[in-house]
Amino acid sequence: MGNYRIAVIQGDGIGPEVTQEAVNVLKAVGERFQHNFTMEYALAGGCAIDACGECLPAETLTICKEADSVILGAVGGPKWDNVPNAQRPEKALLGLRAELELFSNLRPAKIYDALADACPLKADIVEGGLDILIVRELTGGIYFGERGYREGKYGIEAYDIEAYSEMEIKRILKNAFEVAMQRNKKVCCVDKANVLETSRLWRKVAEEMKNDYPEVDLSFMYVDNAAMQLVRNPKQFDVMVTSNIFGDILSDEASMITGSIGLLPSASLGEGTFGMYEPIHGSAPDIAGQNKANPIAAILSVAMMLKYSFHLEKEAEAIENAVKTVLEEGLRTPDIFSEGTSLLGTKEMGQAILAHI
Ligand code: NAD
C-alpha cells in the first residue's frame, strides 16, 4: 500500500474530458491494489489565463512541486490565439518543463494487434506488434543554443548552435538505460557522429556508461538511417535515445506508425522519480465538449506514471491490459472507428476500460 500525491492539470479543450477518465481509472487502480492516490487540481493554459490572467500561475507550480507527479491534459485553443506570444497557453508547458527540471521526454509508439489496420505500414512489417520507446533530450541542444545573425562570406547569415555538456548527455542516457532495464534491455543511441562533434561526445559518454548497465545491449545508429529503419524494420528497436532536435522529428515519425494521435501517452522526467505525464495530442478544439475524444492516450499516461515514477509495474500492466482488452472487444471512439466495431464516447470508453481494471 502506497500514498501518492498527484497534481492534476486538466487544461483546455478536450483536456478536462480525457483527464477525468484517466483520473477515474487511477482511482480504480487505487481501489484494486490498495493504494492511496490523492489528487490536487491546478490551472494552466487558457483556463488559467481566464481565471487569473496568466497561463502558469505560481500556485500551480507550488502544487506541482509538492506532488509526487503531475498529470496534464492539454492546453491551448482558438480563444487564446490572439493573446501576446509570451502569454500564450502553450507557454505553460515550457514553463512547467523548465521549472520542474524535466529534461527527458519518453514517447512510446505501440501498435495494438486490434488496431493493426490503422498502421500506414505494410502488415508484414509490424506483424506481431510493435513497441518502441523514444527518449528525447528536452532542455538542451540546438533549440536552446546560442542563435542570431552575423555577417558571413555571402552576406547576412543566420546561425543556431548545437551544444551538449557531458552532464546533459549523462543524465538523459541514464534515463534511457534505466527505462531499458524495465523493458527489453536494448538501447539504440541515435546521432550523426560521422559529422557532428556533439554526437561524438554522446557516443563517448554512452560507451563509458554502458559498463554500469552490463545487461543492456547498446548500439548506435546515424539519424538518417534511423529515420529509414523506423519505416523499414521498426521492430528492431526497443529504446531509442537521442538529442532534442533528432528526437523531435523521430518521435513524430514513430507516432504516425501507430495510426492515431488519440492513443499515445508521454512522460517528461527529471533526475528523480518525479515526472509529468500527458497525452501527445493537443486540446482538439474541433471536438471539445462533444464526448468524442479518445481518452486512451490520457489513460495510458497514467500507466506510464505508475511504471516510471512509482515503479508499480503490476498496476501499470493492469491499465495496459484493460486498454488492450477493450480494443480487442471492438470498442472504438470516433477517431479509431471502422465498420464492424462499436462506437463509444469519451465517457463510455473510460468506463469500459475501468471495468477491466
Ligand atoms: P490536436 O492534437 O489538438 O488535434 C489534431 C487533430 O487530432 C484534431 O483533428 C483533433 O480532433 C484530433 N485529436 C487530437 N486528440 C484527439 C483525441 N484524444 N481523440 C480524438 N481525436 C483527437 O492539435 P492541433 O489541432 O494542432 O492543436 C489544437 C490546440 O492544442 C492548439 O492550441 C495547440 O497549440 C494545442 N496543443 C497543445 C498541446 C499540449 O498541450 N501538449 C500539444 C499540441 C497542441
Side-chain angles (χ1 to χ4, degrees):
M1 159 130 192
N3 289 308
Y4 304 93
R5 219 167 142 178
I6 323 269
V8 181
I9 300 176
Q10 296 181 301
D12 309 313
I14 61 168
E17 296 170 62
V18 295
T19 311
Q20 185 57 51
E21 298 316 312
V23 166
N24 291 345
V25 168
L26 181 61
K27 285 182 183 159
V29 169
E31 272 167 36
R32 171 163 166 212
F33 293 90
Q34 305 276 294
H35 298 298
N36 201 358
F37 297 111
T38 311
M39 322 295 165
E40 289 245 29
Y41 286 81
L43 294 176
C47 56
I49 297 176
D50 289 351
C52 39
E54 48 184 334
C55 64
L56 184 55
E59 192 195 347
T60 295
L61 278 174
T62 308
I63 292 175
C64 291
K65 284 178 181 170
E66 285 172 358
D68 297 312
S69 261
V70 182
I71 300 174
L72 184 133
V75 296
K79 183 177 174 193
W80 304 280
D81 273 353
N82 297 321
V83 299
N85 205 19
Q87 260 309 323
R88 280 183 65 91
E90 295 82 357
K91 288 276 174 195
L93 294 176
L94 300 181
L96 282 163
R97 285 175 192 154
E99 286 286 332
L100 303 173
E101 295 176 32
L102 304 170
F103 55 81
S104 164
N105 187 233
L106 272 55
R107 270 216 210 173
K110 189 167 175 162
I111 295 183
Y112 293 91
D113 287 346
L115 290 178
D117 284 352
C119 171
L121 301 181
K122 280 189 190 151
D124 62 317
I125 295 179
V126 292
E127 202 178 356
L130 177 75
D131 187 359
I132 301 173
L133 182 72
I134 301 206
V135 179
R136 167 190 170 194
E137 203 289 326
L138 207 55
T139 54
I142 196 164
Y143 291 175
F144 289 86
E146 192 191 319
R147 74 198 55 199
Y149 288 85
R150 64 187 169 202
E151 190 62 38
K153 194 172 161 193
Y154 304 105
I156 288 291
E157 63 183 21
Y159 64 94
D160 301 272
I161 291 181
E162 167 94 342
Y164 269 111
S165 67
E166 268 189 318
M167 182 279 287
E168 288 171 302
I169 301 169
K170 245 184 216 156
R171 65 184 188 179
I172 183 81
L173 286 174
K174 181 165 183 276
N175 268 352
F177 278 115
E178 306 258 318
V179 296
M181 288 297 290
Q182 289 174 262
R183 294 173 47 99
N184 290 327
K185 301 190 173 71
K186 277 170 69 180
V187 171
C188 179
C189 184
V190 176
D191 60 30
K192 193 71 186 165
N194 49 345
V195 181
L196 301 178
E197 207 54 54
T198 40
S199 290
R200 289 192 274 271
L201 184 59
W202 274 70
R203 282 201 183 199
K204 178 174 163 279
V205 174
E207 287 287 5
E208 286 164 7
M209 286 178 72
K210 89 174 175 197
N211 299 328
D212 298 335
Y213 301 91
E215 287 174 58
V216 175
D217 171 14
L218 172 70
S219 62
F220 297 95
M221 190 178 279
Y222 297 143
V223 63
D224 39 356
N225 187 21
M228 186 177 79
Q229 294 297 333
L230 269 175
V231 289
R232 189 176 160 269
N233 178 18
K235 282 195 293 188
Q236 68 186 289
F237 298 114
D238 176 24
V239 174
M240 300 173 92
V241 59
T242 191
S243 63
N244 203 340
I245 187 168
F246 295 160
D248 190 6
I249 299 162
L250 291 181
S251 59
D252 267 21
E253 184 188 358
S255 63
M256 259 324 288
I257 297 175
T258 66
S260 171
I261 197 170
L263 295 168
L264 297 172
S266 79
S268 300
L269 303 175
E271 274 318 337
T273 54
F274 182 91
M276 184 163 84
Y277 298 84
E278 57 184 311
I280 70 160
H281 59 73
S283 59
D286 53 334
I287 55 167
Q290 299 169 42
N291 197 33
K292 282 185 180 166
N294 189 341
I296 291 181
I299 290 170
L300 289 175
S301 299
V302 164
M304 287 189 88
M305 176 183 78
L306 296 175
K307 191 170 185 172
Y308 294 117
S309 280
F310 307 150
H311 298 289
L312 298 174
E313 300 285 336
K314 278 197 313 291
E315 291 78 346
E317 244 171 62
I319 297 181
E320 287 163 4
N321 287 338
V323 167
K324 207 167 146 211
T325 306
V326 298
L327 293 175
E328 279 163 5
E329 287 172 354
L331 307 184
R332 302 282 189 272
T333 42
D335 56 313
I336 49 174
F337 177 74
S338 58
E339 238 182 67
T341 61
S342 313
L343 187 61
L344 297 186
T346 311
K347 287 189 190 128
E348 294 72 27
M349 181 56 109
Q351 284 300 320
I353 293 168
L354 192 151
H356 287 286
I357 297 293

